[in-house]
Amino acid sequence: MRALRMAADASGGALASASGISSSMLSRIERGLVSPSVETLERLAQGLHVPVSRFFSDQARRTDFCHVRAGRGVLVDRIGAVADYRYELLGHSLSGNLFVEPYLVTLLPGADPYVTFQHPGLKFLYFLSGDVTYRYGGKVVEVRAGDSLLFEATALHGIDAIHSGPVSYLSVVFTLRE
């Protein structure tokens, strides 16, 4: 219920009001403390503009949709992040076996080259600005705005040299959920 309400960008009070139930009842339903009646489910479905069957659909088969407005991504403090590499999360995927992490990466003025990134999954990079040398294992390539890279991320990789800035790129990591 809470996920549907948040997806509809509705506050608890607004959904409760639109559904003709109390805010406290909605809160208890969302926390799994009460089982709503069929009548209450019908009211909530109307308030969310979804069919009642949506509450009973197989969530593992649902199709996720995520919209992040320009400049509204979530700034992420990544564990072990390199100094002056700014990560802005641009979306998320909540279901299925594939985990997708799309980031806008911006190298801030004090950023240094870093070539020891290594993690599971496939990585896709699309460079938006700047001119760098990128290292992947023993390969070294010159990369500039408009260029892209796709590779298995278990090999050591990263920016080997920064030739001109500012440097920004889209980084999308794909991994399988366990």
Side-chain angles (χ1 to χ4, degrees):
M1 189 66 62
R2 183 172 189 267
L4 287 172
R5 176 177 60 78
M6 290 178 71
D9 199 26
S11 68
L15 176 57
S17 178
S19 303
I21 66 170
S22 70
S23 294
S24 63
M25 173 60 95
L26 177 60
S27 175
R28 288 193 303 259
I29 292 169
E30 287 186 352
R31 291 180 291 143
L33 300 177
V34 297
S35 294
S37 67
V38 172
E39 179 184 346
T40 300
L41 286 175
E42 287 175 356
R43 288 180 180 185
L44 287 165
Q46 288 173 352
L48 288 167
H49 306 290
V50 298
V52 173
S53 61
R54 181 68 171 96
F55 300 135
F56 303 102
S57 66
D58 180 359
Q59 294 298 306
R61 294 186 193 193
R62 82 170 185 254
T63 302
D64 283 336
F65 176 82
C66 183
H67 176 210
V68 176
R69 295 210 180 272
R72 300 293 304 251
V74 176
L75 291 181
V76 176
D77 242 350
R78 297 183 57 158
I79 295 172
V82 178
D84 294 320
Y85 280 56
R86 179 179 180 255
Y87 291 87
E88 182 179 350
L89 184 63
L90 300 178
H92 56 81
S93 175
L94 300 175
S95 65
N97 292 331
L98 185 62
F99 186 64
V100 181
E101 292 178 279
Y103 289 97
L104 172 59
V105 181
T106 305
L107 275 57
L108 301 176
D112 290 321
Y114 186 83
V115 295
T116 56
F117 289 109
Q118 186 177 29
H119 49 85
L122 288 175
K123 185 180 252 186
F124 173 78
L125 302 178
Y126 180 79
F127 287 79
L128 301 167
S129 66
D131 186 359
V132 302
T133 301
Y134 201 89
R135 178 174 295 276
Y136 175 76
K139 279 189 188 297
V140 176
V141 294
E142 299 297 318
V143 184
R144 65 182 57 98
D147 291 352
S148 62
L149 301 170
L150 176 65
F151 52 86
E152 172 61 49
T154 54
L156 291 173
H157 59 276
I159 292 178
D160 194 57
I162 301 168
H163 304 297
S164 68
V167 175
S168 65
Y169 55 93
L170 177 64
S171 171
V172 185
V173 178
F174 304 89
T175 53
L176 293 176
R177 294 183 201 268
E178 293 187 18

